[in-house]
């Protein structure tokens, strides 16, 4: 069973009322990275290729700060601290307005026990402007059995 947005919101911070949806919580864009060097996925480990944060553009004095993203693939970091409670699994979906603008957010599984400010693959199929802090995704929680909790290398990532 999927949990209510109000339940999810208790595990996402910070959140404002307008981020809380009936079945999930909207996530906002913090930083966009561009990968510079190849990474590696091995049989016994992995390495994330070097990356650089994209510059924020002052597009016609637009506030807040806005990213202008040419067609390409980027890694987007969410602003919110996400905690997946025991007995649950998380899924992130793109905001449909991204899709309708020829962009897509690809995501993986969010494991029970994970805490951090995670990332997603932002595919830009047509140039787009996205303001920092804009809502780009929605996270939902489903109840799920598990034996262990997440204890991998991304545990606690990007928390200050
Ligand atoms: O789209 C996603 C999906 C998951 N995560 C977070 C939550 C998840 O619990 C963690 C690790 O994901 P996964 O287990 O798929 O990563 P891995 O490559 O297998 O790394 P590890 O070996 O550390 O588990 O990354 C994201 O940031 N973005």
């Amino acid at each position: 069973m999927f949990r209510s947005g109000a339940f999810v919101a208790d595990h996402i911070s910070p959140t404002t009322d307008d981020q809380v949806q009936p079945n999930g919580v909207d996530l906002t864009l913090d930083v966009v990275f561009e990968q510079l060097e190849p990474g590696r996925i091995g049989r016994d480990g992995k390495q994330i290729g070097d990356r650089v944060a994209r510059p924020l553009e002052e597009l016609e004095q637009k506030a807040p700060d806005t990213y202008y993203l040419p067609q390409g693939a980027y890694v987007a970091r969410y602003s919110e601290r996400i905690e997946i409670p025991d007995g649950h699994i998380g899924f992130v979906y793109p905001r449909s307005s991204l899709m309708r603008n020829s962009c897509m957010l690809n995501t993986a599984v969010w494991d029970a026990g994970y805490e951090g400010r995670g990332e997603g693959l932002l595919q830009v199929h047509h140039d787009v402007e996205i303001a920092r802090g804009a809502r780009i995704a929605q996270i939902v929680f489903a109840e799920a059995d598990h034996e262990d909790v997440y204890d991998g290398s991304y545990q606690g990532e990007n928390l200050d």
Side-chain angles (χ1 to χ4, degrees):
M1 189 189 82
F2 283 87
R3 304 304 304 258
S4 69
F7 177 89
V8 177
D10 285 342
H11 303 275
I12 311 291
S13 63
T15 49
T16 57
D17 286 349
D18 60 356
Q19 282 173 263
V20 183
Q21 304 297 331
N23 303 104
V25 167
D26 287 340
L27 299 177
T28 66
L29 176 65
D30 183 19
V31 185
V32 176
F33 296 95
E34 195 170 357
Q35 187 160 342
L36 300 176
E37 298 292 336
R40 180 180 152 76
I41 307 290
R43 281 193 291 270
D44 293 326
K46 78 269 184 182
Q47 194 178 334
I48 306 301
D50 285 350
R51 45 164 73 168
V52 64
R54 288 278 308 180
L56 278 160
E57 315 254 344
E58 295 279 334
L59 288 171
E60 297 163 20
Q61 320 286 311
K62 277 183 195 162
D65 296 337
T66 299
Y67 286 105
Y68 181 90
L69 300 175
Q71 197 173 348
Y74 304 90
V75 175
R77 181 176 296 162
Y78 308 112
S79 313
E80 292 76 17
R81 176 193 183 110
I82 294 164
E83 178 209 321
I84 311 295
D86 283 1
H88 292 82
I89 185 172
F91 300 105
V92 167
Y93 293 93
R95 188 174 170 192
S96 92
S97 300
L98 263 190
M99 261 168 28
R100 295 165 201 260
N101 269 317
S102 307
C103 298
M104 192 60 191
L105 195 59
N106 279 0
T107 68
V109 167
W110 298 70
D111 305 282
Y114 168 86
E115 274 188 66
R117 289 199 306 132
E119 300 179 337
L121 175 63
L122 178 60
Q123 295 171 329
V124 174
H125 297 287
H126 192 287
D127 293 16
V128 69
E129 291 177 20
I130 308 180
R132 193 169 187 210
R135 293 178 293 118
I136 57 167
Q138 181 171 178
I139 187 165
V140 299
F141 288 173
E143 288 179 318
D145 293 338
H146 55 91
E147 286 168 10
D148 304 317
V149 291
Y150 182 69
D151 189 25
S153 57
Y154 303 112
Q155 184 62 297
E157 65 181 333
N158 308 315
L159 299 178
D160 306 321

